[in-house]
Amino acid sequence: IVTRDFSGLARFKIGYLAQPNLLLYTSIGAAAVNETWRMPAAFGGATDTRFAVRPDLRAGVEWAINDKTRLTVEVGVQPPVR
């Protein structure tokens, strides 16, 4: 069982305006999380708490359909610490 007491993300985003309504972008950042791993009693009942900072890399496309509606597609990688 994994619980997260705290989770946060900071990202820097930079993009290129390919068309007046089409933005291509990439972002880089870091995600911080305080995780507690609890093993069931049948497996020894151990508990492990760790504060982890993971890199966060993403790229995406944002299309402004009109002045109030946007469609965004984004892919990202957030490698595990363990």
Side-chain angles (χ1 to χ4, degrees):
I1 300 173
V2 178
T3 58
R4 291 191 171 145
D5 301 329
F6 168 80
S7 182
L9 176 68
R11 289 188 345 186
F12 173 75
K13 186 171 164 181
I14 188 167
Y16 171 71
L17 195 58
Q19 296 287 327
N21 63 344
L22 185 66
L23 175 68
L24 307 172
Y25 67 88
T26 185
S27 70
I28 186 169
V33 64
N34 188 33
E35 297 176 325
T36 302
W37 294 71
R38 290 184 183 88
M39 298 295 288
F43 295 100
T47 301
D48 183 22
T49 300
R50 292 188 181 186
F51 183 79
V53 178
R54 299 181 178 118
D56 184 70
L57 309 167
R58 299 176 189 224
V61 176
E62 187 171 308
W63 175 39
I65 297 169
N66 57 39
D67 63 337
K68 295 182 182 177
T69 308
R70 293 182 181 164
L71 178 65
T72 302
V73 176
E74 186 176 79
V75 294
V77 175
Q78 191 180 65
V81 172
R82 295 180 188 244

